[in-house]
Amino acid sequence: TTGTQGRGEGQLNHPRGLCIDYNEDVYVADSSNNRVSVFSKDLHFLKHLFTQQLKYPRDVKVTPSSVVVIDCSPNCVHFFSRSGALLRSCVTQGEDGMVYSPRFFCL
């Protein structure tokens, strides 16, 4: 068990989706803290990501070249580089097959 409730390093507030990358680091969509929290495979806190860009992240997936986050509040899918730069965002709310309030996804 890791990630006590709160806003500090290693703390989580309404954790949602998670994934494990090829280094076995654990990425957690920390919804009410508006960020993604990263832990080692031994569940030691490593870092927080995207603390200025997210409003209510619900799910996160990691590819070899990017981190993809579903952000439920603005109804967006954000694509970040592994170093943290925002590559692009896709708004998902609207007409013609767009989705409202995305929650989870699969790559």
Side-chain angles (χ1 to χ4, degrees), residues 91-103:
V91 177
T92 60
Q93 183 176 356
E95 306 284 326
D96 300 324
M98 303 299 267
V99 297
Y100 176 75
S101 192
R103 306 283 185 198

Side-chain angles (χ1 to χ4, degrees), residues 11-89:
Q11 293 184 314
L12 302 169
N13 195 3
H14 293 106
R16 300 295 184 207
L18 64 88
C19 75
I20 300 171
D21 73 4
Y22 60 91
N23 290 323
E24 298 182 12
D25 291 336
V26 180
Y27 289 67
V28 180
D30 190 3
S31 291
S32 291
N33 283 331
N34 313 92
R35 63 191 180 200
V36 171
S37 296
V38 184
F39 299 87
S40 70
K41 66 180 178 181
D42 299 323
L43 299 180
H44 294 106
F45 173 74
L46 297 176
K47 59 187 169 184
H48 297 300
L49 298 175
F50 322 125
T51 58
Q52 301 299 310
Q53 296 99 327
L54 301 175
K55 294 190 179 176
Y56 198 74
R58 291 296 298 240
D59 202 6
V60 59
K61 300 295 183 255
V62 180
T63 72
S65 61
S66 64
V67 179
V68 185
V69 181
I70 293 243
D71 200 354
C72 190
S73 179
N75 297 304
C76 288
V77 179
H78 300 290
F79 296 82
F80 297 95
S81 70
R82 292 294 298 258
S83 63
L86 180 63
L87 302 173
R88 69 181 180 272
S89 293

